[in-house]
Structure formats: C-alpha cells, structure tokens
Amino acid sequence: MRTSERIGMAAVLTVAMFAVAPAFAFEGTSPGSKEAALPVAVAPSGVAVLKKPVPPADIPQAAPSLTALQYAAEGGHPVAQWKLGRMYAKGDGVAQDDLRAYDYFSKIANAHAEDSPSAPQATIVANAFVALGRYYASGIPNTRVKADPERAREMFSYAASYFGNAEAQYNLARMYLDGVGMQRDVKYGVRWLALSAQKGQHQAQALLGQMLFNGDRLPRQSARGLMWLTLAQDSATADETWIKDSYKTAMAKASEDDRAMALQMLERWVQGRRD
C-alpha cells in the first residue's frame, strides 16, 4: 500500500480519536504522563517560570562521512535518509537542496508509513511526514513540488493521528484555525492545538495561551491563558519574539488574581508531568 493510500486512513483515525476523547477543559494537566519532572521557580512577578535543566556534557563522536550516509540511505536505512534529508534542507555540510531533502523524506514515508507508532524509528517517520507537509504547504520553487494545501493537510493529519506527533498536531491545528486547504473549523483546530500543547509543543502552548487570555475564538480564561504563555515563553527560541511579546503583554494586563491562579495551574501542570 502506497503512502497516498495509507494517509486516506488519517481522516478516519481523526474522527475516531475525537469521538472517544473527552472534552478538553484547558486545565493544563497531563494525566498519566510519565515524563520527567520540570523544576519551577517563582519569578518576582509572582508567576512561576520553568528552570531549564542543565544538559549533560556532550560526548564527542565522529560524524559519519557523507559517503557512508549515502550508502546507508540507498540501502533503505531510515536514520541515514533522515540525516541526509536534514542536511540538504539546512545546507549543513552540503549545498542546500530542498528537492533532494524532499526526496529523502519521501523515501522514509513510502517505506515506513505503516510502522508501529512504538517502533524505534517512529519519531523519524513522523517527522518525515511533517517535513513533507511543510514542503507541500509552500511548494519548492522551480521544481516538481508545487504548493498543495490539501496534500499538506494529509501529511500533517497522518502524522498527527497515527503517530501522535506534536509538531504535526500544531501544524494541523493552524490549518483548521486559518482555513488553509480546508474549511475553517475552530472546534477541530482547538482540539489539535490542545493535544499538541499538552505534549509540550511550545508554539501550540503560546497560541492556545493567546487565544484563552484574549478570548479569541474561545471563552476568555485569562489565568489559564497566562499559564500556557508562561510555559511557552520558557521554551521559545531567540527569533520567536511573538511568543515572548505575547507573554509580556499578558503579564502586564493580568490582575494579581490571574497571576496567582496561573501559578497554581502551572504547579498542577508540573505535578501532573511528575506523576
């Protein structure tokens, strides 16, 4: 069964998932999660911020040669295909070439779409679908890969529903919320956004926080929105100024009660991740 046939199952998986899933109450907890605890510190403002753990020292390892990676990739090794795809997508050690990156990601998707979500390579396969979705969303100029929002939605939907990938869930949420490649559907968009945010995807947390704090397409819940924005801003990269600005704006507008409630919610979030 080819990828184009497999992803047709994504819509069925999506309907089934939302049909049995309980309504999301925006409580900021993740029941049953076994992830490591996240340490919290209380800022002078009264809202908790996450302490970033100190990563272990990197162990130097010899990088595989380009030839070795290409040989492994031609032999169907998904890790090698993924590494080469990322290298060509970023221009890391090779000339930047999105079409070659697209081809490597396509090989992974075609060969491993039906792999178990618990398989060792499942994360790589899901990420390959996400990468393909992004290429279809914008197209690759002057190549055979044209912008195709519907195809992008299929890629994101498969990775989001079958593999439970948080990046795919965030991208799919944005498509539903913005009505890109489909009719706008706020209900589905918010559900995918919530699933992604609960898994720690900081962009999803930021957008969900914005929407809740401002009452944008959702009933206004300022404290809960501030909690999500607090989580998001701690993970935001230097160029994600929209997240940091949204957090600062919310903090400036929040009442003392909002800040106190956000702190309580954040503590429950951390406890839920610990348990």
Side-chain angles (χ1 to χ4, degrees):
M1 186 184 297
R2 293 186 60 80
T3 303
S4 58
E5 297 171 330
R6 294 167 185 142
I7 60 178
M9 300 171 59
V12 176
L13 291 169
T14 298
V15 172
M17 178 186 298
F18 287 150
V20 300
F24 184 73
F26 304 113
E27 289 297 334
T29 58
S30 183
S33 174
K34 299 300 182 183
E35 298 186 34
L38 302 176
V40 176
V42 179
S45 61
V47 173
V49 295
L50 298 181
K51 295 179 181 178
K52 294 184 178 180
V54 178
D58 291 334
I59 301 175
Q61 296 181 349
S65 69
L66 180 61
T67 301
L69 281 175
Q70 290 172 331
Y71 181 82
E74 290 304 314
H77 198 294
V79 174
Q81 291 169 340
W82 171 253
K83 287 183 178 180
L84 282 170
R86 293 284 288 173
M87 289 171 65
Y88 281 108
K90 293 183 173 183
D92 181 12
V94 295
Q96 199 272 343
D97 190 330
D98 283 315
L99 185 58
R100 294 192 71 172
Y102 166 89
D103 287 338
Y104 278 118
F105 297 142
S106 294
K107 288 180 180 179
I108 297 172
N110 282 324
H112 299 279
E114 291 182 340
D115 287 4
S116 168
S118 61
Q121 70 276 10
T123 298
I124 287 175
V125 179
N127 287 338
F129 273 97
V130 173
L132 291 172
R134 289 172 176 161
Y135 278 130
Y136 281 121
S138 58
I140 302 176
N142 304 314
T143 71
R144 67 181 185 277
V145 183
K146 308 302 180 184
D148 187 342
E150 174 61 23
R151 189 69 169 153
R153 183 194 64 78
E154 291 175 347
M155 296 291 119
F156 292 141
S157 184
Y158 190 80
S161 57
Y162 183 72
F163 290 102
N165 182 274
E167 292 292 329
Q169 290 169 347
Y170 169 68
N171 282 278
L172 189 59
R174 291 300 300 260
M175 295 189 79
Y176 273 112
L177 291 171
D178 298 337
V180 176
M182 67 190 78
Q183 184 175 356
R184 181 180 286 107
D185 191 322
V186 174
K187 179 181 177 181
Y188 263 60
V190 169
R191 286 188 175 186
W192 282 119
L193 197 64
L195 287 172
S196 182
Q198 290 281 7
K199 292 178 180 177
Q201 211 285 352
H202 68 278
Q203 294 164 318
Q205 292 173 338
L207 182 55
L208 183 59
Q210 274 186 338
M211 294 172 67
L212 286 168
F213 189 86
N214 297 323
D216 175 19
R217 292 172 286 184
L218 287 172
R220 188 169 191 267
Q221 301 179 62
S222 52
R224 197 158 288 131
L226 183 58
M227 184 274 290
W228 284 119
L229 284 167
T230 302
L231 285 166
Q233 67 87 30
D234 190 70
S235 300
T237 59
D239 60 339
E240 290 178 317
T241 55
W242 70 276
I243 295 178
K244 297 181 182 296
D245 290 345
S246 294
Y247 169 75
K248 291 177 182 177
T249 299
M251 281 294 296
K253 292 181 177 179
S255 66
E256 289 300 322
D257 286 344
D258 287 338
R259 295 179 183 181
M261 289 181 64
L263 173 58
Q264 293 176 6
M265 291 175 182
L266 187 56
E267 289 173 342
R268 287 202 298 269
W269 162 271
V270 173
Q271 185 62 46
R273 305 274 279 199
R274 183 181 295 120
D275 295 340

